[in-house]
Amino acid sequence: MTTIDFPGRLAAAFFVAGCPWRCRYCHNHLLQNSGEPVKSWQEVESFLDKRRGFLEGIVISGGEPCMHKSLPAFLAMLREKGYATAVHTNGYYSAMLRRILMTGLVDFVAMDVKAPPRAYDRVTGGQGTCIEVSRSIDLIINSDCDYEFRTTYHPDILSEHELIETTRAIAAAGAKRFYLQRFRNIGVADKELSESCELAIIPDAAVELAESLFDTFEVR
């Protein structure tokens, strides 16, 4: 259960497997999608039915939820059971994101913005990743859905200048809500990174800039 992943609602988080990226600081290593669920469908439905009237929303996280073709059907089922819905995404699957936004299946989207455009492939380990990410940012900002953008900082991943570039780029796109997240080494598989520090310190210049650019901003 969570009180922070779906602002204003008491929610439960469902984690799905599979992600096309290999970000070093990732602490949710749900990368392999074997097709065999950890929880059966019956267990999922039982969980949801028992918590009606107590939980207000369900967060779909990962891994990367938008890589799954069944995401719209799952969100529709949650709505039928009376739950508000939230999706956490990296923005790589803009077509799926467009689908769930345009059909009104999601109430809140949280998107991780990894880096400025020129550094995106370096951080994600992908190819041409910033193109789809840019589309997703525009989709979210121009939708009627509540949202937040957030960037995780570690000095071995992003320089201070790159962090500031990222912040400026998100603001220039028209975003109103942004969070800078301190890297935490709990659960991080990258041994070198996990041993580098327990908690990264966000540069003051980046914090001051973000405070001036966004209606809502916090360091987490």
Side-chain angles (χ1 to χ4, degrees):
M1 293 209 309
T2 174
T3 59
I4 62 172
D5 293 311
F6 197 160
R9 300 182 189 268
L10 179 64
F14 282 58
F15 293 90
V16 297
C19 183
W21 295 350
R22 298 296 181 267
C23 306
R24 290 178 62 200
Y25 52 62
C26 181
H27 62 274
N28 287 344
H29 294 281
L30 300 168
L31 302 179
Q32 299 304 316
N33 182 24
S34 66
E36 295 296 327
V38 175
K39 296 290 185 183
S40 69
W41 187 252
Q42 289 77 16
E43 288 177 297
V44 170
E45 285 209 290
S46 176
F47 176 93
L48 294 169
D49 290 339
K50 288 178 180 177
R51 286 158 180 79
R52 281 183 180 180
F54 174 62
L55 290 177
E56 300 169 291
I58 301 295
V59 179
I60 314 300
S61 190
E64 174 49 48
C66 288
M67 71 183 291
H68 295 280
K69 294 179 180 179
S70 57
L71 179 62
F74 188 58
L75 292 172
M77 182 271 287
L78 293 173
R79 283 290 184 78
E80 289 171 4
K81 290 185 179 294
Y83 290 102
T85 57
V87 170
H88 292 187
T89 182
N90 62 26
Y92 187 55
Y93 295 92
S94 63
M96 177 59 77
L97 186 59
R98 178 189 296 273
R99 181 177 173 185
I100 64 174
L101 286 170
M102 296 302 104
T103 52
L105 288 171
V106 62
D107 298 294
F108 176 77
V109 175
M111 180 174 160
D112 291 304
V113 182
K114 308 290 185 177
R118 62 184 178 83
Y120 235 89
D121 287 355
R122 188 194 79 220
V123 174
T124 64
Q127 295 289 327
T129 52
C130 71
I131 298 171
E132 292 299 316
V133 165
S134 178
R135 290 172 180 159
S136 291
I137 291 172
D138 288 339
L139 281 170
I140 293 168
I141 290 173
N142 291 303
S143 75
D144 294 326
C145 186
D146 197 11
Y147 69 85
E148 70 179 42
F149 296 101
R150 62 265 187 105
T151 296
T152 300
Y153 176 72
H154 187 290
D156 290 354
I157 303 297
L158 290 178
S159 67
E160 180 175 336
H161 178 69
E162 287 172 331
L163 181 62
I164 287 172
E165 277 190 281
T166 304
T167 303
R168 289 192 185 280
I170 298 168
K176 303 299 182 185
R177 180 181 290 167
F178 178 58
Y179 296 90
L180 286 173
Q181 301 186 145
R182 304 177 183 95
F183 164 85
R184 290 173 170 81
N185 66 356
I186 299 172
V188 175
D190 187 298
K191 191 172 185 295
E192 181 183 352
L193 209 62
S194 68
E195 293 178 350
S196 63
C197 67
E198 291 185 3
L199 182 68
I201 304 301
I202 306 292
D204 289 342
V207 173
E208 291 170 7
L209 175 65
E211 287 175 337
S212 71
L213 292 177
F214 298 98
D215 292 347
T216 301
F217 166 74
E218 289 181 13
V219 174
R220 289 175 173 164

